[in-house]
Amino acid sequence: MADEKKGILKEFKEFISKGNVIDMAVGVIIGGAFTAIVNSLVNDIFTPIIGTVLFGLNFENFGISIPWGNHPFINLGNFIQNVITFLLTALCLFVIVKGINALKRKKEAAPAAPPAPSKEEVLLTEIRDLLKEQSGK
C-alpha cells in the first residue's frame, strides 16, 4: 500500500511538472484577468453607448416582470451584456490564436540549415581530395 502511494505521488509530481499543465495554469489565470477587462469594457463602455443609441435604454433594469406568483423578473439586459461579453472574448481569442498561428507558420517556412557534416564525412572528403591530387600528378 505504501509503495502504491509513493507511485501515485511520483506520477502526480510528473504530471504537475509537465510544461503543458503549467502553461494551462498560466492561461487560466490570465484568462480570469482578461475576463475582468472584457466585463468592464462591456458593462462600463459598450452597454451605456448601446443604451444611449437605443433611446436611453438602461440594461440593468431591462427585462420582464411576470405578473403572477412572486413576480419574478427576467433580466434580459444582463443576458444581453453577457452575450456581448462572450462575443468580444471570442473575438479577442480568435485574433490572438490567429496571430500565434501566423508566427508558427513563419517559423516553419524558414528553411532549416543543412546539418554540419560528421567527422567521418569530413575525413572521407579530405581523403578523396588527397587521392584526386595524387592521381592528377
Side-chain angles (χ1 to χ4, degrees):
M1 186 71 171
D3 290 336
E4 186 177 315
K5 286 183 181 178
K6 286 182 184 177
I8 290 173
L9 288 175
K10 182 180 176 186
E11 197 174 334
F12 180 71
K13 181 181 173 184
E14 289 174 5
F15 172 75
I16 290 296
S17 65
K18 286 184 180 177
N20 293 344
V21 174
I22 294 169
D23 291 344
M24 185 177 66
V26 169
V28 167
I29 292 168
I30 293 205
F34 184 72
T35 300
I37 292 170
V38 173
N39 283 336
S40 177
L41 180 68
V42 170
N43 297 335
D44 302 331
I45 297 173
F46 287 149
T47 304
I49 292 172
I50 293 171
T52 302
V53 170
L54 296 176
F55 308 105
L57 178 66
N58 183 355
F59 278 91
E60 290 179 15
N61 300 326
F62 179 66
I64 301 170
S65 183
I66 300 177
W68 60 85
N70 59 356
H71 301 284
F73 182 73
I74 299 174
N75 192 345
L76 296 173
N78 191 31
F79 176 74
I80 292 170
Q81 284 180 329
N82 287 327
V83 169
I84 294 170
T85 300
F86 169 76
L87 292 174
L88 283 175
T89 304
L91 176 67
C92 290
L93 289 175
F94 172 75
V95 170
I96 290 169
V97 169
K98 190 169 177 75
I100 290 171
N101 287 340
L103 290 175
K104 283 183 181 178
R105 277 190 224 113
K106 285 182 182 178
K107 280 185 181 179
E108 291 173 3
S118 66
K119 291 181 182 180
E120 292 85 11
E121 289 176 321
V122 171
L123 183 59
L124 288 172
T125 303
E126 289 175 4
I127 291 171
R128 180 196 66 201
D129 293 343
L130 286 172
L131 287 173
K132 280 183 180 178
E133 284 180 22
Q134 288 177 357
S135 65
K137 287 185 180 180

